[in-house]
């Protein structure tokens, strides 16, 4: 089975090439300031978080292309940071365009869902005066929101390998997206299994991140259930988040490429 084969290959590739974790570690360290500031200055942490998010819009394509190139090389033997830089530069424009297209589609779908939920909320609040018509509007908007959410899930599911298609198979932005759709459609069962593994492992990691984030976030004294952390303790929690994120990010970077290679070669 493709998923099991990729799961077997991934730890071996990472063991041979721990350097794959280095770019992931750098990205995680870039988020360290906001993790520390969250407990000592929440407002400043929000500003820093927004600034980092804007930077990541243009950093993510380079990082994605570089890690995919390193992962592919690691699965075949040895890799190095020069591969990360070379593949990041050579595929940057194509991955950036595809990434922005995906962000645009997600924005449109999110906006439609938001409007439907907003109008549905007003209709619900005025349901008593609208009567059956109001409830009908709510039902229609509920269906619209559900369709949009499902469309988002299907879209993300179909285009999830666009980066691999661009970096490993030399496609352009649009063709990379189309190729990802074709690969998923031709390997639907295997991709569902892969996605299930990603969701389970990602969910467990997300739960860990959430607990650590809760621990480092300030709480009002009247509802605080956790002790307030000192700056040193906040730094310790942030470093744990960085370490966990580095391990999970490195694993998924290689696992995604190992799976893609398995179903396309």
């Amino acid at each position: 089975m493709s998923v099991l084969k990729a799961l077997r290959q991934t730890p071996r590739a990472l063991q041979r090439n721990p350097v794959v974790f280095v770019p992931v570690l750098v990205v995680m360290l870039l988020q360290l300031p906001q993790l520390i500031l969250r407990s000592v200055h929440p407002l400043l942490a929000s500003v820093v978080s927004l600034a980092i998010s804007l930077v990541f819009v243009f950093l993510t394509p380079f990082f994605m292309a570089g890690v995919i190139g390193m992962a592919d090389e690691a699965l075949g033997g040895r890799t190095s940071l020069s591969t990360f830089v070379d593949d990041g530069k050579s595929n940057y424009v194509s991955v950036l365009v595809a990434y922005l297209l995906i962000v645009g589609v997600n924005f449109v779908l999110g906006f439609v869902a938001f409007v439907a939920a907003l109008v549905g909320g007003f209709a619900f609040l005025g349901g008593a005066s609208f009567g059956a018509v109001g409830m009908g509007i709510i039902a229609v908007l509920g269906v619209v929101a559900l369709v949009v959410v499902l469309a988002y899930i299907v879209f993300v599911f179909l285009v999830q390998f666009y980066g691999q298609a661009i970096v490993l198979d030399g496609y352009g932005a649009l063709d990379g997206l189309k190729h990802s759709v074709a690969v998923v459609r031709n390997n639907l069962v295997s991709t569902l299994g892969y996605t299930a593994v990603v969701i389970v492992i990602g969910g467990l990691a997300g739960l860990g991140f959430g607990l650590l984030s809760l621990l480092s976030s300030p709480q009002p004294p009247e509802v605080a259930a956790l002790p307030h952390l000192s700056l040193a303790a906040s730094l310790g929690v942030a470093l744990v988040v960085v370490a966990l994120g580095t391990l999970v990010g490195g694993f998924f970077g290689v696992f995604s490429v190992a799976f893609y290679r398995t179903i396309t070669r």
Side-chain angles (χ1 to χ4, degrees), residues 201-221:
I201 298 178
L204 292 175
L207 179 61
F209 285 133
L211 292 175
L212 290 170
S213 177
L214 179 63
L215 186 63
S216 62
S217 299
Q219 299 182 20

Side-chain angles (χ1 to χ4, degrees), residues 16-17 19-20 69-71 73-74 77-84:
R16 287 194 307 268
N17 300 275
V19 68
V20 173
M70 286 188 76
E73 208 170 63
R78 296 284 184 177
T79 189
S80 66
L81 290 176
S82 62
T83 299
F84 173 80

Side-chain angles (χ1 to χ4, degrees), residues 26 32 56 79 81 115 196 213:
V26 172
L32 193 58
F56 272 19
T79 189
L81 290 176
V115 171
S213 177

Side-chain angles (χ1 to χ4, degrees), residues 71-254:
D72 183 57
E73 208 170 63
L75 287 162
R78 296 284 184 177
T79 189
S80 66
L81 290 176
S82 62
T83 299
F84 173 80
V85 175
D86 292 342
D87 281 325
K89 290 192 300 184
S90 61
N91 296 284
Y92 179 76
V93 174
S94 294
V95 176
L96 175 64
V97 172
Y99 178 73
L100 292 178
L101 287 173
I102 291 174
V103 170
V105 171
N106 289 343
F107 175 80
V108 171
L109 292 176
F111 180 77
V112 172
F114 172 77
V115 171
L118 187 64
V119 175
F122 283 121
F124 178 78
L125 293 175
S129 57
F130 286 149
V133 175
M135 296 308 295
I137 293 174
I138 294 173
V140 171
L141 292 174
V143 171
V144 170
L146 179 60
V147 169
V148 170
V149 170
L150 291 175
Y152 167 78
I153 294 173
V154 171
F155 175 71
V156 172
F157 178 72
L158 290 173
V159 301
Q160 62 180 308
F161 298 118
Y162 75 93
Q164 288 83 351
I166 292 172
V167 177
L168 303 183
D169 295 327
Y171 287 97
L174 289 176
D175 287 338
L177 291 168
K178 293 177 182 177
H179 186 66
S180 176
V181 173
V183 167
V184 172
R185 289 178 60 186
N186 293 331
N187 301 273
L188 188 58
V189 175
S190 295
T191 306
L192 284 171
Y194 164 82
T195 304
V197 172
V198 171
I199 290 174
V200 171
I201 298 178
L204 292 175
L207 179 61
F209 285 133
L211 292 175
L212 290 170
S213 177
L214 179 63
L215 186 63
S216 62
S217 299
Q219 299 182 20
E222 63 273 13
V223 299
L226 298 173
H228 179 72
L229 297 181
S230 64
L231 180 59
S234 297
L235 177 59
V237 171
L239 289 175
V240 172
V241 172
V242 168
L244 180 60
T246 300
L247 292 174
V248 174
F251 174 84
F252 278 136
V254 176

